[in-house]
Amino acid sequence: MQPHTKKLHWLFYILAFIVANVIIFFCVTAQPKFSLRLENQEEFKSVTIHIQTKGILPTKSVTATLANQPLALEKVDRNHYTTTVKDNGTLLVNVTNFNGMQQSRFENIVTIDNAAPTITGEVTKEGVVTLLLDDSQSGINYDGLYGIDGNGHRLLPTSIDHDNEKVVFQYSGGKIDVHAVDNIGNESTTTFYDKDAKNSNIYNPNIEYDIGNVKEQSKDQSAQAYQPTKSND
């Protein structure tokens, strides 16, 4: 073998060794790559999660949890996984390559409306309550808004200001239970009492009310009868 040819053989072996080690290093250390997409469904009821793996190396596993609870993923095709959730929370997606290398990603899901509307207001005078309603996601369903007064009568609002989400009820019987619902069915109820209801048996000292423009709340959490506060004057 000529010296020149022998040198070429050695150079070939060295290059092959380098290439082989580069390939081995890549296979051992390559981390998985993937994309994560959240698709909000109509009416704020659910979110569909799409996971698309993109790495060159084969994927060993794809897992996901929501609020630390495992999710069942459906494999749509070789690289596409999906699932639908109906609760808000912290989403964790973990993809593992066949070499054991992992890649994780967190996302916060906050678009699902599972909270009831907020009702605040005050009794402006006996038999009249002015309310402010709020629902930041699906919105207030004003067709489902009603009240039950102290005599058990079902009442509709006297007036509704849609722009300012302001509602007025007129009622009798010393109190009114206001029922508000949002556009996907979450419902809340708040009770308001007249001034004169303070001395009646229907007054509950464990709930905060607006009574005649004065907000009162019992410090005693037991279900005892209401005791009027004595004035120092």
Side-chain angles (χ1 to χ4, degrees):
M1 181 179 294
Q2 297 295 327
H4 179 70
T5 304
K6 189 175 182 179
K7 288 181 180 180
L8 289 177
H9 281 191
W10 275 108
L11 180 60
F12 173 78
Y13 291 139
I14 292 172
L15 290 176
F17 177 79
I18 293 173
V19 171
N21 278 274
V22 168
I23 293 174
I24 293 172
F25 178 80
F26 173 79
C27 291
V28 170
T29 62
Q31 292 190 342
K33 296 180 180 180
F34 68 94
S35 64
L36 175 61
R37 180 169 61 90
L38 304 181
E39 180 184 359
N40 295 322
Q41 301 300 316
E42 295 181 0
E43 298 182 349
F44 302 90
K45 292 183 178 180
S46 62
V47 171
T48 299
I49 301 166
H50 297 274
I51 305 167
Q52 191 87 30
T53 59
K54 297 181 177 181
I56 298 175
L57 300 180
T59 300
K60 181 179 180 181
S61 66
V62 178
T63 61
T65 62
L66 182 67
N68 296 321
Q69 298 299 314
L71 299 176
L73 297 176
E74 177 185 356
K75 191 172 184 179
V76 179
D77 55 38
R78 180 174 176 270
N79 299 318
H80 186 193
Y81 301 79
T82 185
T83 189
T84 299
V85 298
K86 296 183 179 180
D87 293 298
N88 293 318
T90 300
L91 172 69
L92 169 61
V93 176
N94 188 68
V95 178
T96 305
N97 272 353
F98 86 101
N99 61 1
M101 299 298 289
Q102 297 181 352
Q103 189 73 267
S104 299
R105 183 172 171 183
F106 291 89
E107 289 286 348
N108 287 320
I109 297 177
V110 297
T111 56
I112 297 173
D113 186 358
N114 51 19
T118 300
I119 306 173
T120 58
E122 62 180 358
V123 177
T124 54
K125 62 180 180 179
E126 291 186 18
V128 179
V129 61
T130 300
L131 308 172
L132 291 176
L133 307 179
D134 180 66
D135 189 277
S136 60
Q137 292 183 299
S138 63
I140 302 295
N141 177 8
Y142 288 95
D143 291 336
L145 183 63
Y146 69 96
I148 302 294
D149 68 12
N151 297 318
H153 299 143
R154 183 185 176 98
L155 307 173
L156 295 178
T158 305
S159 65
I160 298 177
D161 182 349
H162 292 274
D163 293 335
N164 297 308
E165 297 183 327
K166 185 176 180 180
V167 176
V168 176
F169 276 94
Q170 292 184 350
Y171 61 93
S172 60
K175 71 162 188 170
I176 183 170
D177 300 325
V178 178
H179 297 256
V181 63
D182 63 19
N183 285 308
I184 65 170
N186 298 312
E187 184 175 351
S188 60
T189 304
T190 303
T191 303
F192 296 89
Y193 287 82
D194 272 352
K195 299 176 186 178
D196 295 339
K198 289 173 63 176
N199 296 317
S200 72
N201 293 328
I202 61 175
Y203 185 84
N204 186 342
N206 299 314
I207 302 177
E208 184 176 309
Y209 303 101
D210 285 324
I211 303 173
N213 297 321
V214 178
K215 182 175 287 186
E216 299 193 10
Q217 184 177 23
S218 172
K219 295 181 180 179
D220 185 357
Q221 296 303 311
S222 63
Q224 61 184 7
Y226 173 76
Q227 297 295 330
T229 302
K230 294 182 179 180
S231 174
N232 294 325
D233 295 338

